[in-house]
Amino acid sequence: MSMEQTLLQKKSLPDKFKKISFLIFGIGLLTVIISFFVDSHRFAFNYNILFSFLVSIALGNMFLFAIEYLAGAVWSTVFRRINEIFISFVPFVMVIGIVVLLEMHSIFHWTYKDVLENDEIVRGKTPYLNETFFIIRFFVYTLVWTLFAYFMRKNSLKQDTTYDQNLTYRNSKLSAFFIPIFAITITFFAIDYLMSTEPHWFSTIFGVYYFSGTVLSALAILTVVSILLHERSYFDKILKPDHFYNLGALLFAFVNFWAYIAFSQFLLIWYANLPEETFWMIHRWENGWEIFSFILIFGHFLIPYFALLSQQAKSNLNRLKIVSIWLLIMHYVDIYWLTMPSGFKQLVFGWIELGFIVFCVGIIMILFYYRYERMKNIIPVGDPKLKRSLEFKL
Amino acid sequence: MENKILYSVSGIFEDVNKLISAVKTVTDSGYTKFDVHSPYPIHGLPQAMKLKPSKLGWVTLVFGLSGALFAFLFMYWVNVIDYPLIVGGKPFYQLPAYVPVMFEVTVLSAAVFTVAWMLFIMFKFPNNSHPLIDTEYMRKVSVDKYGITIQASDPIFDLTRAKEFLQSLGASEVFEIYFRESNVKPKIFDKKFILFLGITSLIVSGVTYFILNHLLFMSPFNWMHEQFRLNPQSKLTFTKPETTNLTPVEGTVARGFLPYPYTDRPDLAEKNLINPLLPTEKTLKVGKEKYLTFCSPCHGNFGHGDSRLKGQFPNPPTLHSDKLRNMKDGGIYHIITVGQNIMPGYASQISSDERWAIVHYIRVLQRAINPKESDLK
């Protein structure tokens, strides 16, 4: 007990952080509002990307949280509070997502009546792709994710005061239910918000593709936030390089996983060579979009792969920090690459896109600030695995 | 004992944490030639021993990359240089199709060469004359104990001091290990070993023989042989009478094939049949191709009856005889279709249009050998 009381006092974030995050948020918000009046089509597409990215971060952390309980992982217990901060983003992110519903006509052209009349392929998909069902699905996602996020966090936070070991068991059960539901909802989410921007195209691996990016970005944001807090001794230096080594190894694994899935999708489309599938890839290989295809090949796979390859690199905090930020940007670019060419024939990239990135950073910082301040402890002090986690050795 | 040369002083440790702190002390006391043994890899030990990072990772990297390169070059050589084949309408050089193979070969080559390098280069595998081998110390540290070995060649080594030092660190047992007097030869030609090899090979070959010749034909392994489906050319049991092949219904005409009505009447064929094709360049090209494929082996490339068969088959008469030159197109067509003397009919191999095209080509050959007056002007 004494160790916990002396070691694990939570420090609050400096006021400067709050000011900076509000500044970034303000700049982002201003650009976003201006962009709505300048080019509402581009605004809507970018907003969809922003929403999908935020969902990635929140849901990915829920997945990591569930995996920790299911696998009985010990090393990651010290990071779980950071996970939970991002998990608690879920309801806010879904509120942000309502704008996507309002702007549906600018993003999804299957919502137009004249498209439905003239386009037999899109008409055939109306049992799934129609506005009512789309909105229903949005609220189903919101409900399911929010409930899971709420109960997972509730059990975990309650343990801080009650030290009840049953809560760990209860969260394990919850996680076991969550994983299949997560698999289904994230697949449908990817189909709804990313794949249906091009309703003629389909790929059965698409849900897995989005999932790989989701987990990668969740790991990346977990890594970068933990390292930043650790460097400013918010963790009282209780974290060892061995803990970060595991994060680095997982990052490395998921960089490979993403490449594996992305290449699988490409290879099958390329081999089968069916016009109904290839046009999507071809479109991303011309009219300037090929720049982003190349950025993904190098930036999302080759550069982080070689940056994380050696054993020393995975426990080198500076390198982990840079690679994690880089991977977060790459996941944003990945979603951009998935959806943007569906709405625009020629490459579009400019102040609107940058403004949305700033806005996204601002949202994450502000949400992080408030959720962090509401936390009582920075590590789960009541968790029975905590002692082993602190003593974790590779 | 006196004339033996000391190799090392080795201590046994019971506990990992004790071992690591002991290793740290050994390092700090200035010993440089020492080694630690444990039955499993311990993280943090290399740091405690102040070892340089292992170079094995570079071996993996180099062999992994050369595996990828090898796979790429091999596939490129096969698909582009040595035996270009069009597969699925793709170009010969097709990087996406190479990637899975390159990936697998990278993994295989990296893994195999890492292990091989470790065993044969770093551990000097076939060499079994190391003084630690076959000692009580080694037997213990390869099961459930840990050990530190301080070599006698260390510059600050002193037998009694090293022994006391290890004991003070918490070693439960301390051994003195000596070089062998003579190199013990490996006992490969030992009687027992030969017997073991013989028995093993007998068992292995017996089992293999049994599996391949008997087991595979026993139930349930033979289930796949006996399936309730019709094999090609097998007897049909549901027809009357039971036959192997069903003949088409009488009077059936296959698509694209009209029955030939003049089989036994060459005179009528010559009288009634008219060449439906015009002697255009395209037709003549087809005719030439088919003539060279089907006719030229016996009739010769220019129709002189100079066959390439070199007496294996009687030579046919020349196609430039007056009889054939004056024969109408229908007559020649009839001969190609049903055959003549020992020449078989080609109706089943050459389509009707192609036969007419061949007739045109034969006319061209005839006119080239015996040109008309007007051609020579």
Side-chain angles (χ1 to χ4, degrees):
Chain A
M1 281 297 272
S2 62
M3 178 193 80
E4 280 141 20
Q5 274 158 5
T6 51
L7 269 180
L8 310 173
Q9 280 295 327
K10 198 198 85 172
K11 294 173 197 161
S12 48
L13 293 167
D15 264 354
K16 216 173 102 189
F17 181 82
K18 191 180 171 185
K19 276 178 200 154
I20 289 172
S21 45
F22 267 102
L23 185 71
I24 292 175
F25 179 76
I27 295 171
L29 189 65
L30 198 69
T31 349
V32 165
I33 289 170
I34 293 171
S35 74
F36 177 70
F37 292 107
V38 174
D39 188 344
S40 68
H41 187 43
R42 239 166 109 181
F43 162 84
F45 263 82
N46 273 305
Y47 202 92
N48 190 26
I49 294 163
L50 167 88
F51 174 52
S52 306
F53 182 78
L54 291 175
V55 167
S56 273
I57 284 173
L59 262 196
N61 274 292
M62 276 170 92
F63 175 75
L64 295 178
F65 180 96
I67 285 293
E68 186 204 312
Y69 274 105
L70 284 182
V74 166
W75 65 271
S76 60
T77 307
V78 284
F79 295 119
R80 209 176 65 227
R81 274 296 119 85
I82 314 291
N83 271 335
E84 284 164 16
I85 291 174
F86 291 111
I87 291 172
S88 67
F89 282 16
V90 169
F92 302 97
V93 169
M94 295 322 272
V95 169
I96 289 168
I98 288 175
V99 178
V100 175
L101 296 187
L102 300 176
E103 281 294 314
M104 219 152 105
H105 291 285
S106 302
I107 305 170
F108 308 110
H109 76 256
W110 47 263
T111 52
Y112 286 100
K113 280 221 167 58
D114 57 327
V115 169
L116 289 179
E117 274 160 22
N118 299 323
D119 196 328
E120 206 177 327
I121 295 173
V122 178
R123 194 164 58 223
K125 297 184 179 180
T126 36
Y128 183 80
L129 287 182
N130 60 67
E131 288 181 45
T132 332
F133 193 27
F134 189 83
I135 292 165
I136 292 173
R137 283 200 300 275
F138 175 83
F139 285 106
V140 170
Y141 303 144
T142 311
L143 184 74
V144 172
W145 294 341
T146 313
L147 280 180
F148 270 107
Y150 174 74
F151 283 113
M152 281 169 167
R153 279 190 73 236
K154 194 184 149 202
N155 287 340
S156 176
L157 290 177
K158 213 164 133 191
Q159 215 169 29
D160 278 4
T161 44
T162 59
Y163 294 85
D164 183 4
Q165 298 200 6
N166 259 338
L167 289 169
T168 301
Y169 178 60
R170 214 180 290 169
N171 253 355
S172 307
K173 266 205 291 194
L174 205 59
S175 303
F177 281 112
F178 175 69
I179 292 291
I181 289 173
F182 167 79
I184 293 165
T185 48
I186 198 170
T187 306
F188 280 103
F189 180 85
I191 290 170
D192 284 353
Y193 290 85
L194 303 176
M195 202 163 97
S196 84
T197 51
E198 185 67 82
H200 283 205
W201 185 74
F202 55 90
S203 159
T204 42
I205 207 173
F206 197 81
V208 185
Y209 181 86
Y210 179 62
F211 161 77
S212 64
T214 295
V215 179
L216 187 59
S217 61
L219 272 170
I221 203 161
L222 176 65
T223 312
V224 68
V225 168
S226 315
I227 291 175
L228 287 176
L229 290 176
H230 173 72
E231 281 174 350
R232 285 158 185 73
S233 66
Y234 279 82
F235 279 112
D236 278 335
K237 302 282 175 201
I238 52 169
L239 297 184
K240 284 180 295 194
D242 291 9
H243 290 115
F244 289 108
Y245 177 86
N246 275 344
L247 281 178
L250 269 179
L251 269 177
F252 183 64
F254 273 92
V255 165
N256 281 298
F257 183 64
W258 178 88
Y260 192 92
I261 298 300
F263 184 73
S264 298
Q265 173 169 296
F266 170 74
L267 185 72
L268 289 188
I269 291 172
W270 175 85
Y271 242 133
N273 212 3
L274 302 173
E276 55 186 13
E277 291 173 354
T278 46
F279 79 94
W280 193 85
M281 286 292 179
I282 291 167
H283 184 33
R284 279 151 183 78
W285 205 251
E286 58 189 19
N287 292 336
W289 292 112
E290 66 268 24
I291 297 168
F292 280 93
S293 303
F294 273 113
I295 289 177
L296 281 185
I297 295 172
F298 286 94
H300 209 313
F301 174 56
L302 288 174
I303 292 170
Y305 177 85
F306 283 105
L308 291 174
L309 185 59
S310 77
Q311 196 196 4
Q312 292 91 326
K314 289 176 195 117
S315 40
N316 179 343
L317 295 192
N318 266 330
R319 183 172 306 188
L320 272 186
K321 196 167 62 182
I322 291 163
V323 170
S324 300
I325 294 171
W326 175 257
L327 283 172
L328 281 171
I329 298 169
M330 277 306 128
H331 183 56
Y332 196 94
V333 171
D334 188 16
I335 299 176
Y336 176 82
W337 177 85
L338 285 174
T339 56
M340 213 62 179
S342 313
F344 300 86
K345 203 162 166 25
Q346 290 291 332
L347 171 74
V348 281
F349 190 81
W351 62 272
I352 297 181
E353 281 71 26
L354 293 174
F356 266 93
I357 292 177
V358 173
F359 185 49
C360 181
V361 173
I363 290 174
I364 292 174
M365 281 173 85
I366 285 190
L367 281 176
F368 182 80
Y369 178 79
Y370 282 106
R371 303 315 289 178
Y372 179 85
E373 288 303 304
R374 282 188 59 174
M375 288 273 188
K376 262 171 61 191
N377 298 298
I378 194 165
I379 55 172
V381 287
D383 197 290
K385 287 183 295 184
L386 183 66
K387 189 164 176 292
R388 277 194 292 154
S389 183
L390 288 174
E391 287 164 3
F392 174 76
K393 210 156 50 183
L394 273 174
Chain B
M1 282 300 261
E2 289 305 308
N3 51 6
K4 277 182 171 181
I5 306 161
L6 186 70
Y7 170 70
S8 71
V9 168
S10 305
I12 297 279
F13 289 81
E14 310 269 340
D15 181 58
V16 200
N17 293 325
K18 227 184 225 174
L19 175 82
I20 290 178
S21 59
V23 169
K24 276 180 190 155
T25 326
V26 173
T27 322
D28 294 340
S29 328
Y31 286 103
T32 47
K33 290 203 161 181
F34 70 98
D35 207 349
V36 184
H37 301 98
S38 96
Y40 61 87
I42 300 170
H43 280 273
L45 205 54
Q47 287 85 336
M49 289 168 76
K50 296 201 174 140
L51 291 180
K52 280 180 200 153
S54 168
K55 288 188 181 67
L56 196 61
W58 291 103
V59 175
T60 314
L61 182 73
V62 167
F63 280 105
L65 287 179
S66 37
L69 192 69
F70 167 75
F72 175 79
L73 290 179
F74 181 67
M75 279 182 291
Y76 188 84
W77 176 72
V78 167
N79 287 344
V80 181
I81 296 166
D82 192 47
Y83 207 98
L85 262 185
I86 293 177
V87 180
K90 300 277 192 287
F92 297 130
Y93 169 65
Q94 33 182 339
L95 187 61
Y98 296 176
V99 168
V101 179
M102 281 164 69
F103 169 69
E104 302 295 346
V105 176
T106 308
V107 174
L108 178 76
S109 143
V112 168
F113 281 103
T114 307
V115 173
W117 188 277
M118 199 167 77
L119 285 179
F120 295 105
I121 309 284
M122 291 185 164
F123 298 167
K124 303 184 172 76
F125 178 54
N127 172 12
N128 61 353
S129 62
H130 195 279
L132 281 177
I133 284 179
D134 212 15
T135 57
E136 187 65 28
Y137 168 78
M138 199 29 105
R139 242 165 262 145
K140 285 194 169 169
V141 297
S142 42
V143 182
D144 59 348
K145 302 279 196 292
Y146 314 92
I148 299 178
T149 291
I150 298 174
Q151 291 178 25
S153 51
D154 195 286
I156 57 167
F157 183 80
D158 177 79
L159 180 56
T160 43
R161 236 185 57 204
K163 267 172 119 175
E164 278 164 17
F165 179 55
L166 281 179
Q167 261 152 3
S168 72
L169 289 174
S172 58
E173 265 178 285
V174 176
F175 297 96
E176 289 170 28
I177 287 168
Y178 294 92
F179 281 104
R180 310 250 165 92
E181 282 168 333
S182 60
N183 277 342
V184 183
K185 289 223 169 88
K187 292 179 180 171
I188 291 181
F189 300 108
D190 187 67
K191 241 186 224 164
K192 264 189 195 164
F193 185 68
I194 299 280
L195 199 67
F196 167 76
L197 273 189
I199 291 173
T200 318
S201 55
L202 270 181
I203 291 172
V204 169
S205 45
V207 167
T208 314
Y209 179 83
F210 174 74
I211 290 175
L212 291 181
N213 290 301
H214 295 284
L215 188 74
L216 287 180
F217 300 100
M218 289 176 187
S219 188
F221 303 105
N222 60 357
W223 284 2
M224 275 182 80
H225 284 283
E226 298 157 10
Q227 295 180 2
F228 298 106
R229 65 175 167 80
L230 290 173
N231 288 320
Q233 307 296 333
S234 63
K235 212 181 205 179
L236 302 177
T237 51
F238 53 86
T239 54
K240 262 181 197 172
E242 295 184 357
T243 56
T244 30
N245 285 335
L246 291 175
T247 45
V249 177
E250 230 172 282
T252 314
V253 177
R255 271 177 176 237
F257 282 93
L258 281 174
Y260 186 66
Y262 306 116
T263 312
D264 299 323
R265 300 296 301 272
D267 52 330
L268 280 182
E270 190 173 355
K271 204 174 130 193
N272 292 347
L273 288 176
I274 299 164
N275 198 333
L277 304 177
L278 291 173
T280 57
E281 199 184 333
K282 207 176 154 191
T283 315
L284 288 175
K285 253 188 189 163
V286 173
K288 183 185 180 185
E289 191 198 328
K290 295 294 160 186
Y291 178 85
L292 289 177
T293 308
F294 293 100
C295 314
S296 74
C298 294
H299 289 283
N301 284 350
F302 300 105
H304 288 301
D306 47 347
S307 86
R308 301 198 293 270
L309 296 170
K310 296 182 179 159
Q312 296 166 30
F313 205 73
N315 280 7
T318 172
L319 296 178
H320 303 298
S321 61
D322 286 346
K323 182 191 158 199
L324 274 164
R325 270 169 45 214
N326 294 331
M327 191 184 265
K328 281 185 180 172
D329 283 1
I332 299 177
Y333 177 83
H334 176 83
I335 295 172
I336 302 174
T337 310
V338 299
Q340 194 184 46
N341 300 332
I342 61 167
M343 170 177 167
Y346 280 85
S348 60
Q349 292 174 50
I350 317 174
S351 76
S352 169
D353 279 359
E354 287 165 355
R355 272 175 267 151
W356 284 119
I358 290 175
V359 172
H360 272 312
Y361 185 67
I362 290 172
R363 293 285 182 227
V364 168
L365 289 177
Q366 285 172 344
R367 199 162 160 186
I369 301 292
N370 296 301
K372 287 181 185 171
E373 288 286 310
S374 55
D375 296 341
L376 296 172
K377 275 178 188 168

